[in-house]
């Protein structure tokens, strides 16, 4: 080959074989010569950089020893066999195992070299590294896959119109949105044909303005798909420029039908909620997680007397009754923290004008899917009237129970009274009848005189009994005896004066405390009698083992005025005598004189005015009588 004649003049240093050796050995590609089976016969120095092997290490080696197993068959069919047959195959990409043990991506072009007879004798290969290109290509393919997947998930299709070539490209998702077979193709007229008749003008206007002026657009419109379905699309378009001129336009369409349906459902739901919220006859408000009002309806505003704009600056407890704040904080704290989703509570609100309102509140938390609290919906029902009626009902029930108890006591007392009358009168009358019979049969004046004396004694006893019973009846019939303002200090001093001699005789210690309840409106004669009987009882049943101490005090308890008379006397076994203490003619200490009338009279006097008396006692410790004076005057019978 005459290089100088065919390719120009070469410097003297580049004549002959030296010239070609320089070209091969200085090449940026790996240049190799192979026998017909592919074994290396020559490799230029570039192979060291690409594969890590020195050229001599490759000589007589089979390239397939280094090629990745997944690539060998493809290389043989698409390159090696074609070259052996005398055909110039296209370049082929494959993975080659480097000396360090890792694979590198290479691209090789193989060229057959025939001998003078035309028979293929050698194979010439030129190889370069394409790892960066392969990595870039993989990323591009991944990006395309992800982009396609995202377009499918987001229902987004793209298009591009090239003004220079007059072509329009549509992505597959565009066909899917229009429910059209991709093999049928698309053009501008077909697209316009899918537009909803009411939206066609605006679609054409935006596309015309985009092509003429480059004015970008983004708007929503409807289409009618191939199957006749109406869909909502969001369309966007922009212009392509070259040297300041519009050379094309491109854009995207997104199927937003589902979001439109959801938006409409949300709008209807919000409208329903708004109508129910603002027109409800029950108070409703919304609270944020700090307990602040964020929305209130008119019914709640009217209930508490605050305009809505005033409530927005307040927290729930700002208008709650102070005694209810702990209950409110406990229930709403558990709702705010997520411990519970709802709660119900009866609480009081403080009206702006200062009066209390009883309400039943029901609270329900509204949360995001993540569980984060958005707000709490609270319904408030005014139960002030119901609460008042409940209180009245409870009071009536209490009164009825008290009346029932009083009636039972009266019945029991009447039965006891009947027994007393039957026993205490029958015996003297029977005795008188017998004495009269004896008197009639008496033979001497002396006998007659004796029986007359017996008759007088029996008559006196009967008269005494009758007088006692009359006193009890008077008390029962005198429930409406006039009351007056009296002071305990004055009444007790008068009572104490009646026993001054006995007090001095036994050296009794008397303590009084009337400061908590110094006076009362009550029948004076009854109060004196009550104190007299209780004081007399303490003196009469004193203990010989210790100096007598009597403590008298008055105080208020649950709106009732109480009198306590306590001593350190003999005391009683209440387990044994507790149900007999206030009965007529019952005495419990044989060594002490008593008729058993005082406590019976006291009980009747107290109860005739709706009061109550009870006793606490312990043998050899003492006794305490507790009198409740003003319990239910209206129940006196």
């Amino acid at each position: 080959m005459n290089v100088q004649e065919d390719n120009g003049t070469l410097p003297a240093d580049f004549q002959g074989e030296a010239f070609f050796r320089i070209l091969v050995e200085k090449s940026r590609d790996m240049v190799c010569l192979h026998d017909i089976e592919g074994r290396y016969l020559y490799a230029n120095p570039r192979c060291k950089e690409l594969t890590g092997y020195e050229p001599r290490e490759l000589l007589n080696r089979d390239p397939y020893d280094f090629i990745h197993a997944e690539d060998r068959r493809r290389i043989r069919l698409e390159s090696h066999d074609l070259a052996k047959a005398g055909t110039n195959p296209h370049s082929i990409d494959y993975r080659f195992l480097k000396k360090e043990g890792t694979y590198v991506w290479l691209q090789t072009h193989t060229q057959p070299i025939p001998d003078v007879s035309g028979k293929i004798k050698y194979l010439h290969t030129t190889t370069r590294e394409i790892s960066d290109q392969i990595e870039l290509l993989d990323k591009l393919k991944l990006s395309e896959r992800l982009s396609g997947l995202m377009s499918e998930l987001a229902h987004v299709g793209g298009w591009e119109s090239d003004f220079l070539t007059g072509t329009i490209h549509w992505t597959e998702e565009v066909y899917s949105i229009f429910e059209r077979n991709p093999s049928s193709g698309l053009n501008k007229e077909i697209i316009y044909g899918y537009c909803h008749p009411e939206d066609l003008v605006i679609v054409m206007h935006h596309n015309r303005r985009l092509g003429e002026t480059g004015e970008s657009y983004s708007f929503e419109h409807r289409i009618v798909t191939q199957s006749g379905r109406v869909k909502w699309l969001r369309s966007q378009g922009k212009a392509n420029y070259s040297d300041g001129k519009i050379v094309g336009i491109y854009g995207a369409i997104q199927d937003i039908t589902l979001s439109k349906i959801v938006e409409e459902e949300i709008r209807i739901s919000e409208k329903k909620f708004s109508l129910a919220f603002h027109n409800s006859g029950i108070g409703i408000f919304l609270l944020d997680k700090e307990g602040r009002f964020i929305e209130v309806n008119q019914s709640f505003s009217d209930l508490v007397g605050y305009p809505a704009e005033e409530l927005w600056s307040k927290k729930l407890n700002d208008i709650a009754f102070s005694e209810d704040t702990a209950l409110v904080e406990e229930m709403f704290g558990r709702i705010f923290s997520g411990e519970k989703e709802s709660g119900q509570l009866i609480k009081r609100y403080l009206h702006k004008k200062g009066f209390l309102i009883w309400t039943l509140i029901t609270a329900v938390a509204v949360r995001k899917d993540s569980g984060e609290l958005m707000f709490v919906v609270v319904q408030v029902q005014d139960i002030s009237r119901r609460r008042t009626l409940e209180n009245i009902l409870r009071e009536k029930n209490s009164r009825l129970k008290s009346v029932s108890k009083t009636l039972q006591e009266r019945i029991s007392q009447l039965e006891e009274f009947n027994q007393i009358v039957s026993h205490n009168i029958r015996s003297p009358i029977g005795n008188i009848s017998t004495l009269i019979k004896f008197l009639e049969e008496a033979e001497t004046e002396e006998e007659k005189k004796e029986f007359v004396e017996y008759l007088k004694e029996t008559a006196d006893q009967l008269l005494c009994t009758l007088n006692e019973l009359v006193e009890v009846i008077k008390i029962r019939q005198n429930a409406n005896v006039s009351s007056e303002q009296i002071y305990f200090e004055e009444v007790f001093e008068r009572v104490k004066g009646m026993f001054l001699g006995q007090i001095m005789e036994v050296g009794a210690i008397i303590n009084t405390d009337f400061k908590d309840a110094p006076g009362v409106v009550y029948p004076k004669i009854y109060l004196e009698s009550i104190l007299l009987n209780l004081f007399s009882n303490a003196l009469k049943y004193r203990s010989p083992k210790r100096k007598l101490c009597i403590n008298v005090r008055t105080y208020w308890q649950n709106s009732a005025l109480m009198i306590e008379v306590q001593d350190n006397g003999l005391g009683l076994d209440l387990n044994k005598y507790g149900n007999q203490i206030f009965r007529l003619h019952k005495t419990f200490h044989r060594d002490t004189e008593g008729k058993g009338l005082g406590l019976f009279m006291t009980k009747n006097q107290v109860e005739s005015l709706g009061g109550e008396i009870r006793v606490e006692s312990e043998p050899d410790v003492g006794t305490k009588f507790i009198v409740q004076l003003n319990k239910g005057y209206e129940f006196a019978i």
Side-chain angles (χ1 to χ4, degrees):
M1 179 178 179
N2 191 333
V3 177
Q4 184 177 358
E5 181 178 299
D6 294 343
N7 299 297
T9 304
L10 292 173
D13 295 341
F14 289 89
Q15 296 294 323
E17 182 181 344
F19 169 69
F20 295 104
R21 182 173 293 277
I22 290 173
L23 287 179
V24 171
E25 292 186 353
K26 297 298 182 181
S27 175
R28 294 176 60 84
D29 295 334
M30 174 178 162
V31 179
C32 299
L33 183 67
H34 308 260
D35 64 16
I36 193 67
E37 297 302 327
R39 284 184 292 271
Y40 288 103
L41 301 177
Y42 170 82
N44 71 348
R46 177 66 172 164
C47 75
K48 171 69 174 178
E49 296 179 35
L50 292 186
T51 68
Y53 293 101
E54 295 289 347
R56 64 178 181 275
E57 293 179 280
L58 295 179
L59 296 182
N60 296 317
R61 295 290 301 273
D62 188 342
Y64 289 103
D65 293 341
F66 305 95
I67 295 172
H68 195 285
E70 295 177 1
D71 299 334
R72 292 170 189 168
R73 185 172 183 277
R74 179 171 54 84
I75 290 175
R76 185 175 295 279
L77 293 176
E78 297 178 11
S79 179
H80 191 186
D81 288 350
L82 293 176
K84 286 169 63 176
T87 303
N88 287 326
H90 57 76
S91 299
I92 192 164
D93 304 336
Y94 59 95
R95 287 160 289 183
F96 188 94
L97 183 63
K98 296 175 67 173
K99 187 175 182 179
E100 64 182 28
T102 61
Y103 282 95
V104 62
W105 275 96
L106 302 178
Q107 184 182 74
T108 296
H109 180 73
T110 303
Q111 198 169 14
I113 300 176
D115 57 13
V116 293
S117 66
K119 183 180 178 181
I120 303 303
K121 188 173 183 180
Y122 302 105
L123 299 177
H124 172 267
T125 60
T126 305
T127 302
R128 65 183 59 183
E129 183 180 354
I130 59 169
S131 296
D132 291 342
Q133 293 94 314
I134 290 294
E135 183 179 357
L136 184 61
L137 183 61
D138 287 343
K139 289 181 179 180
L140 181 59
K141 289 179 180 179
L142 176 61
S143 177
E144 288 178 349
R145 288 197 303 270
L146 294 177
S147 177
L149 180 60
M150 287 188 291
S151 295
E152 183 179 348
L153 291 174
H155 303 291
V156 176
W159 57 270
E160 184 175 17
S161 176
D162 189 336
F163 290 176
L164 300 178
T165 63
T167 58
I168 303 178
H169 172 71
W170 315 88
T171 65
E172 291 185 5
E173 191 59 27
V174 172
Y175 289 94
S176 176
I177 291 172
F178 286 93
E179 299 178 355
R180 184 178 176 85
N181 191 327
S183 63
S184 301
L186 277 173
N187 56 42
K188 185 169 63 176
E189 287 70 25
I190 293 173
I191 291 294
Y192 286 154
Y194 283 121
C195 289
H196 194 282
E198 295 178 5
D199 298 340
L200 176 59
V201 173
I202 190 69
V203 174
M204 295 179 67
H205 168 76
H206 280 300
N207 277 293
R208 184 174 64 254
R209 291 284 297 171
L210 176 62
E212 293 174 355
T213 67
E215 181 182 329
S216 300
Y217 64 74
S218 178
F219 68 102
E220 296 175 0
H221 63 93
R222 291 163 294 176
I223 63 168
V224 181
T225 67
Q226 187 74 30
S227 67
R229 294 172 58 200
V230 175
K231 288 185 177 182
W232 275 93
L233 303 184
R234 179 180 289 111
S235 292
Q236 291 183 317
K238 292 187 177 183
N240 265 332
Y241 291 88
S242 179
D243 297 329
K245 294 182 180 181
I246 299 174
V247 296
I249 57 177
Y250 65 96
I253 58 173
Q254 182 182 18
D255 182 354
I256 59 170
T257 306
L258 181 59
S259 64
K260 276 289 185 180
I261 293 173
V262 172
E263 285 177 9
E264 181 64 12
E265 289 178 349
I266 292 173
R267 186 190 67 79
I268 293 173
S269 177
E270 288 178 346
K271 184 177 180 180
K272 289 179 179 178
F273 177 79
S274 179
L275 289 173
F277 184 89
H278 291 289
N279 296 296
S280 173
I282 297 176
I284 305 175
F285 59 83
L286 308 182
L287 289 178
D288 65 13
K289 59 185 177 181
E290 302 298 328
R292 285 186 289 264
F293 292 100
I294 56 179
E295 187 67 66
V296 300
N297 72 351
Q298 190 61 44
S299 294
F300 181 73
S301 181
D302 294 341
L303 179 65
V304 296
Y306 289 91
E309 54 270 18
E310 283 190 45
L311 290 171
W312 292 336
S313 62
K314 296 181 180 293
K315 288 188 175 183
L316 178 60
N317 270 342
D318 292 341
I319 60 171
F321 186 53
S322 57
E323 294 181 9
D324 295 343
T325 54
L327 289 174
V328 173
E329 288 175 355
E330 190 273 337
M331 186 184 83
F332 280 94
R334 295 175 68 186
I335 292 175
F336 292 154
S337 67
E339 184 179 343
K340 60 186 300 186
E341 293 302 307
S342 62
Q344 196 170 69
L345 179 69
I346 291 178
K347 69 177 296 294
R348 289 162 287 186
Y349 283 103
L350 192 61
H351 193 276
K352 190 176 183 181
K353 292 183 178 180
F355 59 86
L356 290 178
I357 309 156
W358 280 95
T359 64
L360 172 65
I361 65 171
T362 304
V364 180
V366 178
R367 304 184 188 277
K368 297 179 181 179
D369 291 340
S370 63
E372 180 185 356
L373 180 70
M374 296 174 64
F375 53 84
V376 178
V377 182
V378 184
Q379 288 187 333
V380 184
Q381 184 178 356
D382 184 358
I383 60 169
S384 298
R385 177 171 172 77
R386 190 181 85 183
R387 193 75 176 184
T388 301
L389 293 175
E390 287 176 351
N391 289 338
I392 292 173
L393 182 60
R394 277 194 292 269
E395 184 178 346
K396 293 294 184 183
N397 286 337
S398 177
R399 290 182 179 182
L400 287 173
K401 288 179 181 178
S402 181
V403 168
S404 176
K405 181 180 178 183
T406 303
L407 287 174
Q408 291 293 334
E409 290 175 353
R410 296 298 185 266
I411 291 170
S412 177
Q413 289 170 359
L414 287 173
E415 290 176 350
E416 182 182 1
F417 188 78
N418 289 336
Q419 292 175 359
I420 292 170
V421 171
S422 174
H423 179 272
N424 292 15
I425 294 180
R426 183 188 296 118
S427 295
I429 290 177
N431 193 31
I432 289 173
S433 177
T434 302
L435 288 172
I436 291 173
K437 183 179 179 182
F438 286 158
L439 180 60
E440 291 174 345
E441 295 176 353
E443 297 179 353
T444 65
E445 288 296 324
E446 187 177 347
E447 287 180 346
K448 290 180 179 180
K449 186 177 180 179
E450 183 181 356
F451 288 133
V452 168
E453 289 299 323
Y454 287 152
L455 280 170
K456 287 180 180 180
E457 185 179 339
T458 303
D460 289 341
Q461 292 176 357
L462 178 59
L463 181 61
C464 181
T465 300
L466 288 173
N467 286 334
E468 291 174 351
L469 295 176
V470 167
E471 284 298 317
V472 174
I473 293 171
K474 284 181 179 180
I475 292 172
R476 289 297 177 182
Q477 292 179 341
N478 202 25
N480 295 321
V481 64
S482 61
S483 300
E484 59 183 292
Q485 177 68 48
I486 50 180
Y487 295 93
F488 291 107
E489 189 74 41
E490 296 176 2
V491 174
F492 187 73
E493 284 300 319
R494 187 158 46 252
V495 170
K496 189 169 68 171
M498 298 177 187
F499 299 95
L500 189 57
Q502 294 182 51
I503 294 172
M504 295 176 65
E505 181 183 352
V506 301
I509 300 171
I510 312 299
N511 299 314
T512 60
D513 181 5
F514 303 125
K515 65 179 183 298
D516 290 338
V520 66
V521 176
Y522 205 77
K524 187 175 182 180
I525 188 171
Y526 279 11
L527 185 60
E528 286 184 359
S529 177
I530 292 167
L531 289 174
L532 187 146
N533 282 318
L534 295 179
F535 195 78
S536 171
N537 198 76
L539 285 168
K540 188 180 300 181
Y541 299 108
R542 63 185 178 273
S543 173
K545 299 178 181 179
R546 50 190 169 269
K547 181 179 286 190
L548 176 62
C549 180
I550 302 174
N551 297 312
V552 182
R553 76 181 184 105
T554 58
Y555 57 93
W556 289 95
Q557 185 179 76
N558 298 328
S559 301
L561 197 149
M562 315 296 289
I563 301 175
E564 279 187 10
V565 179
Q566 183 176 11
D567 63 58
N568 61 346
L570 296 174
L572 283 172
D573 184 352
L574 293 182
N575 293 325
K576 188 175 182 180
Y577 302 113
N579 63 341
Q580 302 178 43
I581 290 178
F582 297 106
R583 290 187 178 182
L584 183 61
H585 295 161
K586 294 293 183 181
T587 58
F588 310 101
H589 298 285
R590 296 179 180 178
D591 298 332
T592 305
E593 181 182 354
K595 295 182 179 180
L597 182 62
L599 291 181
F600 176 78
M601 297 293 290
T602 298
K603 179 176 175 64
N604 277 272
Q605 288 171 334
V606 171
E607 291 181 348
S608 70
L609 291 175
E612 187 178 277
I613 184 170
R614 66 181 187 274
V615 63
E616 297 175 3
S617 187
E618 188 175 342
D620 202 32
V621 173
T623 301
K624 178 166 66 174
F625 288 96
I626 303 103
V627 180
Q628 181 175 312
L629 288 185
N630 58 341
K631 178 182 178 183
Y633 286 92
E634 67 271 31
F635 299 135
I637 296 177

